[in-house]
């Protein structure tokens, strides 16, 4: 592929310097960029990003888990170009438009109408806030004003706004803002890596569900909702669990009259193997949060889907009983049109079936890593793969500890040298590529991930 941007006049190092002077980059200790590379991206094509010097990188993390069908996808491009000539934006309070109506109808149909109402925002954390507020406000409208508390899982991550941090159990993200946060109840994770000798993933799921029930028994009259990521807790290191956990939690929520919020921001839109992750367990929650892949990775869009009885709980002549939450760009027509184009690709290309075939090929390509002596807990769910690096030389504990602390940064940097964009979480390496990899790219990923891993672990020896 041609990788040089001939129109670019400014050297790439100048763009990096200007960015470091003027842009505060997300989720970043900016001082680290004194030694870590900042990549000035020129353009993207398919699974590849290309920098301003013409070097390309296979986007193995879908640009923070958002890109489903490749960069500059011609079908999504065409839909957006058409929409630009019709309507770029109109406020959704008191108005509506074709893209938001069609998108809401299509998403509802994918749940067979169980989740029939969509409320829109722009980012995942906002969707979390909306679901939490809706649950809280619903119970107040029902006269159950004591139901104000929430339950989340150990290691959970649901966003970085204040309400979302309240149900996030990742110290790195929440500790600095502790005084601002209203704490939730944290219960055991069903992370299958916690299996004791002789236990299966289902056993771990049942133990975790029992812990959830203990909390519900004690606080049911106070709990508004349980929030969880179905099947995979991504930001805590791709902790994967058996679908049995979702079935058990759904039953507990019904028993104790508590809402179930499914945060499918990262694991929805086909990532888990089904369009909605909850479908793997054949259950529906009371709220589904979607973002990231819903627009194909093109434009900021998030939404919360919910049931009719919850919607009816706000339907009243008294404005104070309405859901008084808004964002200026709620239901933006361009973002909704990108989402519609994304759903059309799912349908026309039979993506879920094709992904199962592709997933088998990727898993096969990763087998040398799965069987590596310094790898444990190789795992896969749908179009997500992860494994944990093992530092086990007891004669060099201090060196091993330092190697573990710097593993993520060293792996990221070395992967860039091999044309791979990968960002481990701690000692967990994960792969979450676009759905469009061809066999050549799949083989490249497998071979180069193994090469990078060996190089990085060799440095620690």
């Amino acid at each position: 592929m041609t990788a040089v941007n001939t129109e670019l006049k400014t050297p790439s190092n100048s763009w990096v310097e200007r960015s470091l002077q003027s842009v505060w980059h997300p989720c970043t200790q900016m001082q680290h960029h004194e030694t870590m590379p900042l990549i000035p991206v020129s353009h993207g094509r398919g699974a590849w990003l290309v920098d301003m010097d013409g070097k390309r990188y296979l986007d193995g993390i879908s640009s923070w888990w958002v890109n489903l069908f490749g960069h500059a996808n011609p079908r999504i491009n065409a839909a957006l170009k058409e929409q630009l000539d019709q309507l770029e934006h109109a406020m959704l309070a008191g108005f509506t438009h074709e893209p938001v109506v069609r998108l809401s109808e299509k998403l509802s149909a994918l749940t067979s109408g169980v989740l029939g109402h969509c409320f829109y925002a722009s980012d995942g954390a906002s969707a979390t806030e909306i679901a939490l507020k809706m649950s809280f406000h619903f119970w107040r409208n029902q006269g159950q004003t004591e139901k104000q508390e929430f339950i989340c899982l150990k290691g959970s991550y649901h966003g970085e706004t204040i309400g979302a941090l309240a149900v996030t159990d990742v110290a790195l993200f929440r500790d600095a803002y502790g005084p601002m946060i209203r704490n939730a109840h944290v219960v055991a994770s069903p992370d299958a890596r916690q299996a004791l000798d002789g236990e299966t993933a289902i056993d771990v799921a049942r133990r975790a569900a029992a812990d959830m029930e203990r909390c519900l028994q004690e606080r049911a009259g106070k709990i508004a909702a349980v929030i969880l990521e179905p099947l995979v807790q991504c930001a805590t290191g791709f902790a994967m669990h058996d679908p049995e956990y979702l079935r058990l939690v759904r039953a507990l929520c019904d028993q104790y009259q508590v809402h179930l919020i499914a945060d499918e921001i990262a694991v929805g839109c086909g990532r888990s193997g089904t369009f909605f992750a909850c479908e793997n367990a054949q259950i529906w929650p009371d709220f589904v949060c979607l973002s990231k892949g819903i627009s194909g990775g093109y434009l900021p869009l998030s939404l919360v889907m919910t049931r009719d009885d919850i919607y009816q709980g706000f339907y009243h002549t008294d404005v104070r009983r309405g859901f008084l939450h808004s964002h200026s760009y709620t239901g933006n027509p361009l973002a909704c049109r990108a989402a519609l184009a994304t759903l059309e690709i799912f349908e026309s290309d039979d993506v879920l079936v094709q992904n199962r075939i592709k997933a088998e090929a990727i898993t096969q390509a990763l087998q040398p890593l799965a069987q590596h002596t310094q790898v444990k807990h190789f795992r896969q769910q749908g179009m997500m793969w992860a494994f944990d690096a093992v530092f086990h030389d007891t004669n060099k504990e201090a060196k091993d500890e330092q190697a573990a602390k710097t593993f993520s940064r060293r792996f990221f940097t070395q992967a860039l040298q091999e044309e791979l964009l990968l960002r481990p979480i701690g000692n967990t390496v994960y792969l979450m590529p676009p759905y469009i990899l061809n066999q050549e790219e799949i083989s490249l990923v497998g071979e180069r991930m193994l090469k990078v891993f060996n190089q990085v672990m060799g440095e620690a020896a």
Side-chain angles (χ1 to χ4, degrees):
M1 61 180 285
T2 301
V4 179
N5 185 349
T6 56
E7 297 180 359
L8 190 66
K9 305 299 182 184
T10 307
S12 63
N13 61 347
S14 176
W15 287 110
V16 170
E17 291 167 5
R18 288 166 63 180
S19 185
L20 292 174
Q21 287 296 317
S22 60
V23 180
W24 200 335
H25 293 265
C27 199
T28 299
Q29 171 48 264
M30 293 299 293
Q31 191 271 347
H32 289 171
H33 280 307
E34 292 182 9
T35 55
M36 282 184 68
L38 183 66
I39 309 301
V41 176
S42 165
H43 59 281
R45 293 291 183 274
W48 297 86
L49 291 170
V50 183
D51 71 18
M52 292 177 178
D53 293 322
K55 184 173 181 179
R56 64 181 192 164
Y57 309 89
L58 192 144
D59 191 352
I61 59 172
S62 297
S63 290
W64 252 350
W65 319 342
V66 302
N67 188 282
L68 300 189
F69 299 117
H71 300 283
N73 182 284
R75 285 182 279 183
I76 302 177
N77 287 358
L80 283 172
K81 289 172 183 175
E82 182 181 34
Q83 185 62 41
L84 273 171
D85 289 330
Q86 298 176 14
L87 178 66
E88 83 300 338
H89 184 65
M91 66 180 185
L92 208 59
F95 293 83
T96 194
H97 51 77
E98 180 182 343
V100 77
V101 173
R102 289 178 56 212
L103 178 58
S104 302
E105 290 174 344
K106 281 182 174 290
L107 288 170
S108 176
L110 289 173
T111 73
S112 299
V114 174
L115 302 171
H117 302 275
C118 297
F119 195 101
Y120 290 85
S122 56
D123 58 86
S126 295
T128 297
E129 300 270 343
I130 288 165
L132 296 174
K133 287 176 67 177
M134 271 187 181
S135 177
F136 171 92
H137 199 162
F138 172 85
W139 293 119
R140 189 181 74 175
N141 282 353
Q142 298 300 305
Q144 299 190 53
T145 56
E146 291 188 350
K147 293 174 77 68
Q148 301 180 11
E149 301 173 5
F150 298 93
I151 297 176
C152 64
L153 306 187
K154 183 177 181 181
S156 58
Y157 174 88
H158 299 288
E160 294 165 43
T161 51
I162 295 302
L165 281 175
V167 289
T168 287
D169 184 49
V170 179
L172 177 66
F173 295 111
R174 62 170 288 147
D175 281 1
Y177 312 103
M180 301 174 67
I181 297 169
R182 182 177 180 180
N183 291 326
H185 301 280
V186 180
V187 299
S189 167
D191 180 358
R193 292 175 295 180
Q194 300 175 125
L196 304 175
D197 289 345
E199 279 193 326
T200 66
I202 292 179
D203 294 324
V204 179
R206 289 170 178 162
R207 275 200 287 115
D211 191 52
M212 174 78 75
E213 183 165 24
R214 282 190 288 271
C215 185
L216 287 170
Q217 286 173 340
E218 294 173 4
R219 306 294 298 177
K222 307 285 187 180
I223 302 296
V226 170
I227 183 169
L228 52 78
E229 285 182 281
L231 300 181
V232 185
Q233 293 177 256
C234 294
T236 195
F238 283 74
M240 300 186 184
H241 60 257
D242 191 274
E244 176 70 3
Y245 183 72
L246 301 179
R247 290 188 283 269
L248 293 171
V249 172
R250 173 71 274 180
L252 289 171
C253 288
D254 290 341
Q255 179 181 347
Y256 290 95
Q257 294 188 304
V258 167
H259 291 144
L260 176 57
I261 301 171
D263 175 355
E264 299 213 10
I265 292 162
V267 300
C269 301
R271 270 294 164 199
S272 66
T274 53
F275 188 84
F276 294 99
C278 285
E279 292 179 88
N280 285 274
Q282 299 180 310
I283 62 105
W284 291 113
D286 301 295
F287 301 91
V288 164
C289 302
L290 290 179
S291 190
K292 292 191 181 290
I294 189 61
S295 72
Y298 267 69
L299 288 165
L301 179 67
S302 67
L303 60 108
V304 175
M305 303 178 68
T306 193
R307 297 171 181 262
D308 188 61
D309 63 321
I310 293 172
Y311 174 81
Q312 293 298 331
F314 293 86
Y315 202 86
H316 199 272
T317 57
D318 186 347
V319 68
R320 293 170 299 179
R321 291 175 62 95
F323 188 59
L324 304 179
H325 183 103
S326 60
H327 297 267
S328 299
Y329 284 93
T330 292
N332 174 261
L334 288 168
C336 290
R337 188 64 183 274
L340 283 167
T342 298
L343 294 182
E344 286 162 8
I345 294 173
F346 268 101
E347 185 175 353
S348 64
D349 291 8
D350 204 7
V351 168
L352 296 177
V353 170
Q354 293 304 313
N355 276 0
R356 293 184 195 116
I357 298 170
K358 199 156 292 185
E360 290 181 6
I362 295 173
T363 298
Q364 184 61 38
L366 296 178
Q367 281 309 295
L369 278 165
Q371 297 165 16
H372 199 289
T373 57
Q374 289 180 280
V375 163
K376 65 178 179 179
H377 301 308
F378 180 88
R379 51 202 183 273
Q380 179 247 339
Q381 177 66 53
M383 289 293 285
M384 296 174 277
W385 293 261
F387 62 85
D388 304 326
V390 178
F391 300 87
H392 52 49
D393 190 338
T394 55
N395 296 319
K396 299 180 295 183
E397 290 183 3
K399 187 175 181 180
D400 280 352
E401 183 179 353
Q402 181 61 24
K405 285 182 178 179
T406 61
F407 173 80
S408 176
R409 203 181 308 173
R410 290 184 296 116
F411 192 101
F412 167 70
T413 303
Q414 188 61 47
L416 292 177
Q417 300 304 312
E418 297 296 334
E419 297 187 320
L420 294 179
L421 172 54
L422 296 167
R423 286 171 57 106
I425 299 173
N427 294 338
T428 296
V429 180
Y430 73 89
L431 177 66
M432 204 171 181
Y435 300 161
I436 59 164
L437 297 189
N438 59 36
Q439 188 56 54
E440 180 182 354
E441 290 165 337
I442 290 171
S443 297
L444 181 150
V445 167
E447 292 165 5
R448 296 194 187 177
M449 280 185 71
L450 177 63
K451 181 180 179 181
V452 170
F453 185 74
N454 281 332
Q455 288 172 330
V456 173
M457 298 304 283
E459 292 171 4

